[in-house]
Amino acid sequence: MKRRGFLATSLGGAFGAGLAAAAEEVKAADGPLFRTPVSLMAPRTDGITVVWAVNALCRGWVEWKGEGSDGKADMTPAGFVPQTDEVFQVEVNGLKAGGEYEVKAVVIGVDGEKKEESGWRKFRTIDPQAASTRFLVWNDTHEHDETIRKLDEVSPKADFFLWNGDTCNDWKDEAKLIPTLLHPGGRDITAGRPMILNWGNHDGRGKFAYKVPSCVGLADGRPFSAFRSGPVAAIFLHTGEDKPDDHPTFKGRVAYDKLRKEQAEWLKEVIERPEMKDAPYRVVFCHIPLRWIEEPETVDYAGTGFDRYSRRSRDLWHDTLAKWKTQVVISGHTHNAQWIPANGSFPYGQLVGGGPQEERARWIVGEADASSLRLTVTDLAGAVTHKVEFKPV
């Protein structure tokens, strides 16, 4: 197998006491070097991003094996072995689509005396040619650890797992970033289901929100992406905030209008890709719904008003999504699970998941083969609350 260049980055500056430690001699941690489990993120047809946090300054790398080959991802674009005292993000590329692989992370403390290895983690790369696929969706967990633990217990393995926004309430406390995103509820939530993070509006709130990209793997370094998994073409979009960019609560920190426009132009190209254009099933994932059961003409943003659906996104994306023959948009945000069928004005249905409290929480499974795409919404008690089926386009 050809081994392409590998990328490893640590982004976003120091976390917590890291700033103070930078001014002093850096020493190895007295305890374990690994702070979190190894997470598998941003699954792709040719690779995956391996992410984990450490407790002290380390150098590290990722070893991989599978499909009759093996290798090591151990170099940054600047020619260094990956090094950080925060979060490692190591991209493993050049793999076969639909291949079965294993990865493990290795770290060595700055003094070279302590070495630790994670266990081997199995995964399969995304396979556009597969006869069937399964995906899993959570949304709006908002740091409710018990809800996360119960979701993890009942959720199945999947070809990909989408955390569809609002992992947190806000990022005012920098110390919450790593445990919330890389060890939520004390669980290893990416085991058996490589994860994609779809930004929610709360994920962009707080003065430390800009550091979220340092904790999660992103396909092509962007918070939006697309691929085909078996018969399902999937597009993942960032709907931004539920208020205008100039709302005083954001203090000038967000530029979501520009991001939505960037995605609008990108969408026009994505839907013309052969694997997306010919897919039997077409699914869009975004945190804030593009439709809702009530759509008022005006919202009192100066008071307590906010958008239950993203009109700003829909105005930019609707025509392209209709042209693509989008069948369903899967969202969160409202904490109110709903199914809104397609109609004459909107050729795509809108499926919305639940909320953070255990009684409101929902998990969504999509299963597709040659006969149909089936979406099942289930609560934590095991009751199916919504079930929708689509035939090939």
Side-chain angles (χ1 to χ4, degrees), residues 32-78:
L33 296 178
F34 279 96
R35 180 176 174 184
T36 68
V38 167
S39 293
L40 303 183
M41 299 189 185
R44 306 177 290 279
T45 57
D46 66 347
I48 202 157
T49 302
V50 185
V51 185
W52 71 96
V54 290
N55 287 308
L57 180 60
C58 304
R59 57 187 171 94
W61 61 85
V62 169
E63 297 176 11
W64 60 268
K65 61 184 180 180
E67 299 294 322
S69 189
D70 59 70
K72 181 189 288 188
D74 63 350
M75 189 184 76
T76 72

Side-chain angles (χ1 to χ4, degrees), residues 144 146-148 150-151 335-337 353-363 377-383 385:
H144 282 236
E146 189 57 31
T147 295
I148 290 170
K150 290 186 176 181
L151 284 168
H335 301 187
N336 181 359
Q357 298 84 7
E358 292 178 45
E359 65 274 13
R360 285 180 173 265
R362 302 288 187 273
W363 48 285
V377 184
T378 308
D379 67 19
L380 289 179
T385 61

